[in-house]
Amino acid sequence: MPASLLVSRVTLHRGCPACMGVRCTDPADCLYFLTSRPWADCIKCDGSGWASEVSASEVFCGYCDGSGLNEYNPGEIALEEISDRAKERLAGHVARLTALVTPAPLKVVA
């Protein structure tokens, strides 16, 4: 019996912390979600985004999908408790989504 080939595809793109997708289907919704709630380091991977060494089949943390961020309810975490790394990662996601949502300037045709 011939051996069968098993193909496994792994994406090296980290997921959006809001929708967990590699490419946000609604960047405006994700942007609102990210800016309306506090976000801090993932409780499973400690903000690294990498899977644990125990999991041989995953590259990124399954809890945060590689973003390194977890959502918190307003008032559940103090601003002082959020690490600078988490703030930088969140700012990066917000900047990326803002660029996708912000429309190009309109040109006036005379």
Side-chain angles (χ1 to χ4, degrees), residues 70-93:
N70 287 143
E71 170 198 7
Y72 287 82
N73 292 320
E76 189 177 8
I77 189 168
L79 187 60
E80 301 82 36
E81 295 177 78
I82 301 172
S83 72
D84 290 336
R85 282 186 329 174
K87 291 176 186 175
E88 289 171 9
R89 280 193 308 279
L90 180 61
H93 286 291

Side-chain angles (χ1 to χ4, degrees), residues 10 12 15 34 96:
V10 177
L12 296 179
L34 287 175
R96 179 182 63 81

Side-chain angles (χ1 to χ4, degrees), residues 1-99:
M1 178 182 292
S4 62
L5 181 64
L6 175 65
V7 177
S8 176
R9 292 195 170 99
V10 177
T11 178
L12 296 179
H13 296 285
R14 294 175 186 236
C16 169
C19 69
M20 298 295 207
V22 174
R23 295 177 193 249
C24 303
T25 56
D26 187 356
D29 193 36
C30 290
L31 183 61
Y32 171 76
F33 196 71
L34 287 175
T35 56
S36 64
R37 296 165 175 82
W39 293 80
D41 286 321
C42 175
I43 58 174
K44 297 290 184 183
C45 67
D46 197 30
S48 72
W50 298 108
S52 67
E53 294 177 4
V54 177
S55 174
S57 63
E58 293 181 322
V59 175
F60 298 119
C61 173
Y63 195 74
C64 67
D65 205 31
S67 70
L69 297 169
N70 287 143
E71 170 198 7
Y72 287 82
N73 292 320
E76 189 177 8
I77 189 168
L79 187 60
E80 301 82 36
E81 295 177 78
I82 301 172
S83 72
D84 290 336
R85 282 186 329 174
K87 291 176 186 175
E88 289 171 9
R89 280 193 308 279
L90 180 61
H93 286 291
V94 169
R96 179 182 63 81
L97 291 169
T98 301

